[in-house]
Amino acid sequence: MAFRGRSSPPRAGGCLKLSALKRFAISILTMFLATPLFAQFAPAPGTGPGLNETVEAIDNARIATRILYITAHPDDESGAVLTYLARGLHADVALLSLTRGEGGQNVLGPEQAPQLGLIRTQELLAATRGYGVKLFFTSAKDFGFSKTPGETEKIWGDQVLADMVRVIRTFRPNIVINNFGGVHSGHGHHQAAGLWTPQAVKLAADPWYGRSANATATMESQDDSSTELQTPWGGPDHPVQILDVDRSGSSATNPASLQLPLDDVSPLWGKTWREIGLDAFANHRTQGISGVLGSPFLHRPIALVSESGEKLDPAIFAQPLHTLGGDSSPNGCNNDATFCPVLKQAEDELKQARRDALELRWQQSSAEIASAAKRIASLVSQDRLAKDHHPQTDEERTRYADIRAALQRSNHALALAAGLEVVAESDRSEVVAGENFTVDAHSRCRNEAGCELGKLLILLHPESEVASAAGPANTQEFMVTIHAPLPHETTWEQQQPEPPALATAIQEITVSGHKFAEQQQVTHIAATSTRIDRVPVRMVPAYTLALEPDQTIELLAKPKKPFDVLTRVHSYATKPSKIEVGLTAPQGWTVSSPVTLQFSGAGDQYVKLTVTPPAKLSAGTYPLTAFAQRGDEKFSTSLAPLPSMPTLLWSQPAQCRVFAFDATVPDDLRVGYISAESEPIPQALERLGIQVEMLDAAALAFSNLARFDAIVVGVRGYELRTELSGANQRLLDYVSNGGTLVVQYQRDFAWDKFQYAPYPAKISPEKPNSPLPRITDEASPVKFLKQDDPLLNKPNKITPQDFNGWIQERGLYFWSQFDAKYTPLLSMNDPGEPDLNGGLVYAHYGKGTYVYTGLAFFRQLPEGVPGAYRLFLNLLSVSREAGRNPAQSLKASASGNSK
């Protein structure tokens, strides 16, 4: 799956894009402009409407510094640093994560690749709310671990660099923090991010970058709403200082560095900046962060170091508001200053507003903030503050953007001080094009603030209409209809953490003569018997289809038989309609006739469709696509909640994929599976007709393991299944008595300090500080060390062709040191590196066989890679091939007992 998706069609039915992720997902978590609401995560300190948040907002309005922090993945950031800069120094801070982390692991559930990227986006968004910072992304694909920056740069390409420039030119930072500056080892993504950050800063200052018609990577500003996009940022006129993050503690005496007081206690929150940051950082739950919050790495002193080597002045992190106009001096304002005196007065009024807020004098505090906001607004005429104004010169564009940003911060502080609340609730969360939905909206303010509430409007997609009427108890009721699918997202919208709001309430308000507008996304309260969520309104297809099974396997040597595809058809449409439901299949396949369904409104109905493969079937992947036909409209989308984060709906084509390949599967094969990461291998094995039993703690401790031909330990099992170490001797006894134990990759820190295997074996290389053994090139040539070994020949003959078509990587966490009693079967290497032979290793132990494999079967089997299936079958069949058959023994025992 490509992660760019700009060539995709408009978002019919609400298939939203997170670059390409958003093409397949509908998110119901959104960051609001006024009071944030949370469907999945508890509100973090600093995100509500209380006194502390109000004081922070006033402080934020007094500071002009903007800081951009650049990293490669979600969870790379230092939450402590971001929190201190944003909530301690009150700078305007943004985090740019080049990827969405879809290439990582998931300790919560089965989601991988794009689904995981969507979840990790939401985790990072929740974390940034706690840090108090904005969030941006690029189109960079997280393609898994990369060993070199060269490989990463080649795969990411010029577009990612252009995306970085777009963020810099739009956010206009005074400081850029390069999280991986000076890093020349480890993950290639990290190294590339460190190398590209100064390049992006340099290109952002180049007036010609992105404007050439023949440029490889253009800024494509014609589809962007950001007026700042084409304006260069940086250079002599707007210098940008690049700082690296130093966690070594060695730069305390370096004049080019600044040690950050991360363990100082916040005067508002009573916790240190590091503690507040770690509270927010804990949102990275798919990465198991909660288990490492006590790690010394997260508690090290941190310094920021100037890449230029110049002495670092602490004052640059919190420049006061009056410096914004460029006509200030170290002691105040220049004699001929125009902007500085006005901003200085606004700054003083904000200081007094802070004092009054702390004394709960809301009338005075609101009036002082309103006066400051009026002064800021006076620097640009009202027509220039209008949305349709387009400044002509770079200087004018920059100053215009700065003043607008300062005004927005003051308006936000004023809304909090005035106690403004805007609530807009829809009667449903999913809406269909052409159908009405109702929005009830109301606003309120503190009595002391003297607010004058003006018009309350609903901002919608252009292809929409809205009618309003007075509702009960000062509530305004809007009848809304969206007639067309959502438009294609702009490049800039794709770099946001979430898609644009489908509907937004806008409340005009006047406080002490200052008029402004506050926005709030339209939401819906979704309640079940176990939870209640406040979620945004999203557009969905009129009909969606869910298929069972969504994958199946046809073995080429077996006779082809008809099979059923059970289809759940869900109607989001509220109007009665008759539809036809059927399947489209490749040429030569036969399917049962479409079924007619009559819907009276929203709800579910079920259909059973029968499919027969052709008698002669070639190897390949065959899609069976379900459809619901209503007149000339055809719907073929599946929409379902993600297991690890059910407040996210995952959208994909309504298909059952049929994987056809040649493989031999022993009859009545029984497998016990010890899953830790909910990897999808058990379901893949069941599609082959293998009997799979998931083993919980009680089964590991007490059940008869001898009934299994093989037992499989899932990835990271010894790290995540706490009872597994205690059951390990039972597993070894099972092997000694003739069973086969297949252990998939484990993490070095959870494996090396114990001896879970029957003979010594370690993942960490013998040479200290060497990289952990893994093969990131999924096309790496595979060498057979023992071509005639039974594990490579029975029941399936394994050849080099079986390693074609693998995805993302060959494997990870190979053994690097192991006893001579083990037999390595395969050798492979990444380009320019020595061979690794610890990816598939086995030993005879007693009467049975112990197998360790770091090969990435958990990625290959769900994608139907034939060679991965054949090789995994061989590993499961070792005891069977040696003559041990638990199924026959159990049958014989049952027969004897019946006599």
Side-chain angles (χ1 to χ4, degrees):
M1 180 183 300
F3 279 73
R4 233 169 244 151
R6 213 172 337 216
S7 60
S8 62
R11 291 172 281 137
C15 294
L16 311 179
K17 289 178 289 183
L18 296 177
S19 64
L21 293 180
K22 291 185 192 171
R23 218 172 19 189
F24 297 101
I26 294 180
S27 166
I28 64 174
L29 291 173
T30 303
M31 181 169 64
F32 297 92
L33 297 180
T35 303
L37 304 167
F38 302 94
Q40 184 71 22
F41 301 98
T47 61
L51 174 61
N52 289 1
E53 291 89 347
T54 303
V55 173
E56 280 195 352
I58 296 171
D59 287 336
N60 294 344
R62 296 163 50 206
I63 301 300
T65 301
R66 291 182 298 273
I67 303 173
L68 179 65
Y69 189 117
I70 300 179
T71 191
H73 312 100
D75 85 5
D76 286 342
E77 76 278 2
S78 169
V81 171
L82 288 167
T83 302
Y84 172 68
L85 296 175
R87 301 179 60 186
L89 298 182
H90 305 291
D92 188 2
V93 183
L95 172 64
L96 171 59
S97 176
L98 301 189
T99 76
R100 296 176 185 264
E102 66 274 12
Q105 304 300 311
N106 183 1
V107 303
L108 294 185
E111 298 88 352
Q112 296 179 17
Q115 292 183 345
L116 179 58
L118 182 66
I119 293 173
R120 295 192 69 186
T121 294
Q122 291 299 327
E123 290 178 334
L124 183 56
L125 182 57
T128 56
R129 290 185 180 119
Y131 306 150
V133 308
K134 300 178 174 69
L135 178 60
F136 303 110
F137 291 95
T138 74
S139 57
K141 178 182 177 182
D142 183 355
F143 54 89
F145 190 83
S146 173
K147 291 184 176 179
T148 67
E151 178 195 35
T152 299
E153 291 172 353
K154 181 179 179 181
I155 292 175
W156 284 355
D158 292 339
Q159 183 58 51
V160 173
L161 195 57
D163 293 341
M164 296 173 71
V165 171
R166 181 180 290 106
V167 171
I168 293 169
R169 286 182 171 179
T170 305
F171 184 65
R172 306 180 317 282
N174 311 107
I175 299 168
V176 169
I177 297 178
N178 186 357
N179 191 66
F180 294 109
V183 174
H184 303 298
S185 61
H187 203 321
H189 295 180
H190 296 171
Q191 296 182 63
L195 292 170
W196 273 9
T197 293
Q199 290 187 45
V201 171
K202 182 178 179 180
L203 290 172
D206 182 353
W208 296 107
Y209 179 77
R211 297 188 177 184
S212 169
N214 298 320
T216 303
T218 65
M219 301 305 290
E220 300 179 337
S221 63
Q222 63 271 16
D223 67 352
D224 277 278
S225 60
S226 171
T227 59
E228 301 89 356
L229 186 59
Q230 282 283 9
T231 305
W233 179 258
D237 293 335
H238 305 287
V240 176
Q241 190 155 3
I242 305 175
L243 308 178
D244 294 343
V245 178
D246 178 18
R247 295 179 173 89
S248 68
S250 62
S251 57
T253 59
N254 183 356
S257 73
L258 178 67
Q259 199 84 21
L260 300 180
L262 304 179
D263 296 310
D264 284 1
V265 176
S266 163
L268 287 176
W269 300 102
K271 302 179 76 172
T272 69
W273 306 115
R274 192 190 302 274
E275 288 169 342
I276 297 172
L278 287 175
D279 287 346
F281 193 65
N283 281 295
H284 294 295
R285 294 182 294 171
T286 58
Q287 306 309 295
I289 291 299
S290 58
V292 298
L293 290 179
S295 166
F297 177 81
L298 296 177
H299 294 267
R300 290 178 179 177
I302 297 179
L304 298 178
V305 183
S306 173
E307 285 197 359
S308 67
E310 298 176 3
K311 183 177 181 179
L312 201 53
D313 180 4
I316 66 170
F317 295 98
Q319 289 291 298
L321 178 63
H322 68 264
T323 64
L324 195 64
D327 53 0
S328 64
S329 67
N331 298 319
C333 300
N334 294 333
N335 293 332
D336 58 349
T338 301
F339 296 92
C340 180
V342 178
L343 294 171
K344 190 71 170 63
Q345 287 179 297
E347 191 179 308
D348 293 339
E349 287 172 322
L350 289 169
K351 288 180 183 179
Q352 182 59 45
R354 184 187 197 276
R355 290 190 287 267
D356 286 328
L358 287 171
E359 295 292 334
L360 305 184
R361 293 194 292 263
W362 296 116
Q363 179 179 4
Q364 295 90 330
S365 182
S366 299
E368 286 148 0
I369 301 172
S371 178
K374 281 191 290 185
R375 292 185 191 280
I376 296 170
S378 71
L379 296 175
V380 182
S381 62
Q382 288 301 313
D383 61 324
R384 289 192 174 191
L385 287 174
K387 286 186 65 177
D388 58 356
H389 172 65
H390 298 286
Q392 299 303 311
T393 68
D394 287 350
E395 182 181 0
E396 185 185 12
R397 277 189 285 267
T398 297
R399 183 172 290 124
Y400 167 81
D402 286 346
I403 293 174
R404 281 190 63 88
L407 182 59
Q408 288 169 0
R409 291 194 295 273
S410 294
N411 287 343
H412 178 60
L414 179 55
L416 288 174
L420 175 64
E421 180 186 45
V422 181
V423 176
E425 295 180 352
S426 169
D427 62 347
R428 72 198 68 175
S429 56
E430 296 87 14
V431 300
V432 174
E435 293 193 357
N436 298 333
F437 64 97
T438 302
V439 176
D440 292 327
H442 67 272
S443 302
R444 64 112 169 103
C445 243
R446 299 184 200 274
N447 292 332
E448 309 96 303
C451 304
E452 298 174 26
L453 297 177
K455 293 181 180 178
L456 180 59
L457 307 171
I458 300 293
L459 179 65
L460 293 161
H461 174 269
E463 297 288 333
S464 308
E465 61 179 277
V466 58
S468 65
N474 299 320
T475 298
Q476 194 162 348
E477 186 176 280
F478 298 88
M479 184 68 69
V480 180
T481 307
I482 301 176
H483 294 290
L486 298 176
H488 183 61
E489 279 183 357
T490 67
T491 304
W492 181 240
E493 287 171 342
Q494 292 176 19
Q495 291 188 241
Q496 308 305 306
E498 294 188 302
L502 184 65
T504 303
I506 301 179
Q507 174 66 65
E508 294 182 356
I509 180 173
T510 302
V511 178
S512 298
H514 175 63
K515 184 177 180 180
F516 66 106
E518 191 74 1
Q519 301 185 24
Q520 182 67 276
Q521 187 162 0
V522 174
T523 61
H524 171 74
I525 297 178
T528 68
S529 59
T530 57
R531 62 184 294 160
I532 183 168
D533 297 307
R534 184 183 290 275
V535 299
V537 181
R538 62 277 180 97
M539 203 168 186
V540 296
Y543 301 94
T544 61
L545 307 100
L547 276 60
E548 176 61 38
D550 59 359
Q551 289 186 13
T552 188
I553 293 174
E554 288 290 328
L555 298 179
L556 299 183
K558 287 195 171 184
K560 305 301 175 288
K561 298 179 181 180
F563 62 91
D564 293 331
V565 177
L566 307 180
T567 305
R568 176 175 62 85
V569 185
H570 180 75
S571 171
Y572 286 103
T574 59
K575 298 177 181 178
S577 185
K578 182 168 67 175
I579 64 171
E580 281 197 341
V581 179
L583 283 173
T584 58
Q587 187 174 2
W589 294 62
T590 59
V591 298
S592 55
S593 301
V595 176
T596 300
L597 299 177
Q598 180 70 50
F599 279 94
S600 59
D604 291 332
Q605 294 195 45
Y606 298 84
V607 170
K608 182 170 71 174
L609 301 165
T610 303
V611 181
T612 306
K616 292 184 178 180
L617 188 62
S618 300
T621 300
Y622 298 89
L624 307 174
T625 303
F627 65 85
Q629 185 94 29
R630 182 180 67 178
D632 295 333
E633 297 178 283
K634 181 176 280 190
F635 304 92
S636 295
T637 298
S638 174
L639 199 61
L642 294 179
S644 298
M645 193 177 285
T647 50
L648 295 176
L649 298 182
W650 179 255
S651 176
Q652 62 185 15
Q655 289 184 342
C656 171
R657 290 188 295 168
V658 181
F659 301 125
F661 53 82
D662 189 24
T664 300
V665 184
D667 295 334
D668 298 320
L669 199 64
R670 296 172 64 92
V671 173
Y673 204 98
I674 306 168
S675 178
E677 276 199 337
S678 302
E679 67 268 29
I681 291 180
Q683 295 85 350
L685 299 179
E686 288 174 336
R687 295 185 192 107
L688 291 169
I690 296 173
Q691 302 174 62
V692 181
E693 181 178 334
M694 306 303 289
L695 301 181
D696 59 16
L700 284 172
F702 303 114
S703 70
N704 176 21
L705 301 181
R707 68 187 186 274
F708 299 115
D709 291 281
I711 295 176
V712 179
V713 178
V715 298
R716 301 176 66 181
Y718 285 95
E719 173 193 353
L720 302 175
R721 289 285 294 269
T722 55
E723 77 279 13
L724 189 52
S725 59
N728 191 66
Q729 188 56 51
R730 287 202 83 215
L731 295 176
L732 293 180
D733 292 344
Y734 160 79
V735 176
S736 182
N737 291 326
T740 296
L741 182 65
V742 178
V743 179
Q744 296 182 84
Y745 92 79
Q746 306 298 313
R747 297 285 290 277
D748 54 307
F749 59 82
W751 178 267
D752 288 352
K753 58 185 177 182
F754 305 100
Q755 186 175 315
Y756 294 122
Y759 312 112
K762 289 187 176 182
I763 296 169
S764 299
E766 185 174 7
K767 185 179 179 182
N769 300 320
S770 297
L772 292 169
R774 64 194 304 164
I775 303 296
T776 62
D777 182 0
E778 66 272 24
S780 171
V782 176
K783 308 170 187 68
F784 289 67
L785 302 178
K786 294 194 68 176
Q787 181 72 56
D788 298 329
D789 193 280
L791 270 70
L792 297 177
N793 289 275
K794 296 179 180 181
N796 298 286
K797 175 71 175 177
I798 305 301
T799 70
Q801 285 69 41
D802 285 303
F803 293 93
N804 293 340
W806 285 46
I807 64 167
Q808 184 159 323
E809 59 193 346
R810 286 288 190 215
L812 60 169
Y813 297 102
F814 290 5
W815 279 356
S816 61
Q817 307 174 61
F818 48 88
D819 193 275
K821 293 184 179 68
Y822 293 104
T823 300
L825 295 177
L826 304 173
S827 176
M828 59 198 80
N829 68 289
D830 275 326
E833 296 186 356
D835 283 350
L836 302 179
N837 66 351
L840 179 57
V841 180
Y842 78 94
H844 296 299
Y845 181 66
K847 299 177 183 179
T849 304
Y850 185 99
V851 180
Y852 179 87
T853 178
L855 297 177
F857 289 107
F858 70 100
R859 296 196 191 278
Q860 314 311 320
L861 268 57
E863 295 304 314
V865 178
Y869 268 102
R870 283 191 284 267
L871 180 54
F872 205 77
L873 280 167
N874 284 13
L875 304 184
L876 300 178
S877 306
V878 176
S879 295
R880 181 68 66 87
E881 293 296 328
R884 179 179 180 273
N885 192 328
Q888 289 184 357
S889 299
L890 290 172
K891 288 179 181 178
S893 175
S895 176
N897 291 335
S898 66
K899 296 177 182 179

